[in-house]
Amino acid sequence: QVQLVESGGGLVQPGGSLRLSCVTSGITLDDYAVGWFREASGKEREGVACISRFDGNILYTDSVKGRFTISRDNRKNTVYLQMNSLKPEDTAVYFCAIGTPSNRLFREWVDSGPYYGIDYWGKGTPVTVSS
């Protein structure tokens, strides 16, 4: 059974930090591209950060560049998202996803949806940034 389980979300003040984790099971993680997506209340899902399954290339959406860092540890079957200098507009439910896209489809993961080449989604972990 394939499972993706996110953790690490919570309530933080503006300027604070959180580290999200996505523990996977039932797959060999190094066969997959990995990514983090988020859904704010009343808005559509957007791509935040992702790592290519071919060469490890990393893409970020413009709004998080310089603040967020995505990484993976294939030995632990885990994907991470380090979030620093958090802003109220970062408030959302954050989802981990893995997939087998072509390079063309992979580059669309940080653009507007729909998102193709994603095979599995986690259930999400909520992040609230508020004073």
Side-chain angles (χ1 to χ4, degrees):
Q1 183 178 8
V2 177
Q3 287 189 301
L4 281 66
V5 181
E6 302 99 331
S7 63
L11 173 64
V12 297
Q13 293 184 324
S17 297
L18 285 174
R19 189 192 193 198
L20 306 184
S21 297
C22 173
V23 179
T24 69
S25 60
I27 51 89
T28 301
L29 188 60
D30 62 7
D31 291 337
Y32 293 87
V34 302
W36 287 95
F37 301 76
R38 65 187 181 187
E39 286 185 16
S41 180
K43 298 182 179 180
E44 65 182 359
R45 187 170 299 187
E46 65 173 345
V48 175
C50 53
I51 305 175
S52 171
R53 65 183 175 123
F54 297 116
D55 57 8
N57 184 46
I58 296 175
L59 301 176
Y60 295 98
T61 192
D62 286 344
S63 64
V64 308
K65 288 180 178 177
R67 299 189 297 120
F68 290 12
T69 302
I70 186 173
S71 62
R72 64 191 298 168
D73 186 336
N74 292 332
R75 294 171 298 176
K76 297 181 179 179
N77 294 313
T78 301
V79 187
Y80 303 97
L81 185 68
Q82 179 67 46
M83 305 186 295
N84 299 325
S85 301
L86 284 162
K87 304 175 181 179
E89 52 263 44
D90 295 317
T91 296
V93 177
Y94 284 71
F95 298 87
C96 176
I98 64 173
T100 52
S102 67
N103 282 328
R104 173 183 286 179
L105 293 177
F106 168 77
R107 297 192 67 83
E108 297 177 356
W109 280 19
V110 295
D111 296 327
S112 60
Y115 303 101
Y116 298 103
I118 293 177
D119 300 321
Y120 304 101
W121 290 93
K123 294 183 178 180
T125 185
V127 172
T128 301
V129 185
S130 177
S131 58

